[in-house]
Amino acid sequence: MSYQNLDSFRDPEVAKTLSGLIAESCQSPMRIMEVCGTHTVSIFRNGIRDMLPEDITLVSGPGCPVCVTDQKEIDDFIQLARKKNVILATFGDLMRVPGTQSSLQKQRAQGRKVKVVYSAFDALTLAAQNPKKKIVFCGVGFETTAPTVGACILEADRQGLKNFFIYSAHKTVPPALDALMSMDTVIDGFMMPGHVSVIIGADAYLPLVEKFSIPCAIAGFEPNDILASILTLVQQKEAGESKLENTYSRAVSPVGNKKAREVMEQVFDRVDASWRGLGVIPGSGLSIREEYERFDASKAFELPPARSAAPKGCICGAILTGKKIPPQCPKYKIECTPTDPLGPCMVSSEGTCAAYYRYHGAITKVY
């Protein structure tokens, strides 16, 4: 894509036209869930809430990978960091997420070997450079990151590495949306995540649309991408329609990235997984297949059952399911801040609470 074309997705005049059409089309209240945490941040950063009629409410969903990681998985990461001869490799966002009794940041301060990396391949390099150490990578994320982690396992297998391990806490998005619709959350339309959709393809959402008769739109991350997806959702609702529209067709095809999906299928099995705020969702997790289980940290290391408990008073679960927004939390900005977070939604760069803290109430208009 040329820069000239990219600029069109940020053109203020186009944005004004789209917001005008949204206001003209919207005749009744509508709650739209932006599933992806990157969408949440882009909506705030570009002042999109300020461009919408009052009848449209945007709520954030379970699309922040760090936020939905279950408390027990966080506690397991901390247990792994305490293991002798282990270097724990992790994305930076996980460092300050509170476990039940500690955090990875606190473990590193106490002398544990916890290293921030930018990709799973960085962890693979660590393993090759430190043959006498055991390198464990904290595998969190959705269909966007799982293929890369799967490729790392295949490469570690090819190199014959015996000191490289993955703790797979990966999750898949469509089952979570199905679970959300089965809860008591009021959602009139989904803004589908662009990055995940690039991998799984637009067609992956068709069963959800058919099962729940809910308007859905796949959105990119530029302001006019987001406004265009909101317009299609409003128009569907007002017309009494429920279908899937792809407003990010320059990146998302009907079938997605076939090669990435093949790597996922080769390395991972679909299993039930526990999500923060949503509980156990059937078939929503990715565990390492038996063929590659020598790389599975959950089997290679003894991890006693953790007595995990979410931080007292934290409402991240309600935030992730769209039942509440951060200002409704009594601890928001008081006992829970980015420098002293109570839960992961205030920690992650894609977290709803962190986005509210940074942008809500600030001058965000760009048009």
Side-chain angles (χ1 to χ4, degrees), residues 51-327:
M51 303 180 71
L52 301 177
E54 290 183 356
D55 275 343
I56 294 179
T57 301
L58 298 179
V59 294
S60 303
C64 163
V66 169
C67 303
V68 299
T69 300
D70 189 63
Q71 191 75 20
K72 181 184 180 304
E73 292 168 335
I74 299 294
D75 288 337
D76 281 349
F77 294 154
I78 291 168
Q79 288 197 69
L80 285 165
R82 289 170 168 161
K83 295 288 183 184
K84 187 178 180 181
N85 212 34
V86 162
I87 299 176
L88 191 79
T90 177
F91 295 137
D93 276 5
L94 277 172
M95 290 293 291
R96 293 187 301 117
V97 176
T100 303
Q101 296 180 336
S102 184
S103 69
L104 293 178
Q105 187 176 52
K106 290 177 181 176
Q107 290 301 306
R108 186 166 69 175
Q110 293 170 10
R112 312 294 185 188
K113 301 297 183 185
V114 181
K115 186 171 180 60
V116 173
V117 295
Y118 296 98
S119 79
F121 276 100
D122 289 344
L124 193 67
T125 300
L126 271 179
Q129 294 173 341
N130 297 273
K132 294 183 179 179
K133 298 287 186 182
K134 297 176 181 179
I135 312 300
V136 181
F137 178 70
C138 302
V140 302
F142 303 116
E143 292 93 334
T144 43
T145 54
T148 302
V149 174
C152 279
I153 290 176
L154 295 178
E155 178 61 18
D157 185 44
R158 189 189 68 80
Q159 293 182 24
L161 293 178
K162 300 184 184 305
N163 65 329
F164 179 69
F165 305 91
I166 300 285
Y167 184 107
S168 179
H170 295 98
K171 295 173 174 59
T172 56
V173 168
L177 302 183
D178 190 299
L180 264 175
M181 290 303 297
S182 302
M183 301 169 68
D184 56 352
T185 302
V186 178
I187 302 170
D188 299 311
F190 279 118
M191 184 188 302
M192 295 303 190
H195 293 148
V196 167
S197 303
V198 168
I199 303 298
I200 66 176
D203 290 353
Y205 303 114
L206 292 176
L208 181 85
V209 176
E210 182 176 346
K211 181 176 179 180
F212 296 102
S213 298
I214 184 166
C216 295
I218 299 170
F221 299 96
E222 300 298 338
N224 292 342
D225 284 324
I226 292 171
L227 287 168
S229 71
I230 293 172
L231 176 60
T232 63
L233 291 170
V234 170
Q235 290 175 332
Q236 282 191 57
K237 181 173 183 289
E238 296 299 341
E241 296 177 337
S242 301
K243 56 186 178 181
L244 173 69
E245 296 198 48
N246 182 5
T247 64
Y248 197 30
S249 58
R250 67 183 186 279
V252 177
S253 71
V255 297
N257 186 320
K258 183 180 177 183
K259 180 61 179 176
R261 288 190 285 105
E262 285 177 349
V263 170
M264 276 198 298
E265 295 299 324
Q266 181 179 351
V267 175
F268 296 107
D269 270 327
R270 304 264 176 175
V271 296
D272 299 347
S274 185
W275 296 56
R276 190 185 298 267
L278 283 84
V280 176
I281 302 176
S284 67
L286 297 174
S287 71
I288 298 172
R289 284 185 180 273
E290 184 177 355
E291 181 180 354
Y292 302 103
E293 68 177 9
R294 60 189 175 280
F295 301 107
D296 190 340
S298 69
K299 295 178 179 175
F301 296 87
E302 185 177 351
L303 294 172
R307 293 183 178 179
S308 300
K312 190 175 181 181
C314 176
I315 66 164
C316 275
I319 300 290
L320 292 166
T321 52
K323 296 177 180 176
K324 291 185 181 296
I325 60 174

Side-chain angles (χ1 to χ4, degrees), residues 37 41 64-67 92-94 96-97 341 343-355:
V41 174
C64 163
V66 169
C67 303
D93 276 5
L94 277 172
R96 293 187 301 117
V97 176
C345 294
M346 186 59 91
V347 176
S348 174
S349 59
E350 297 182 20
T352 305
C353 297

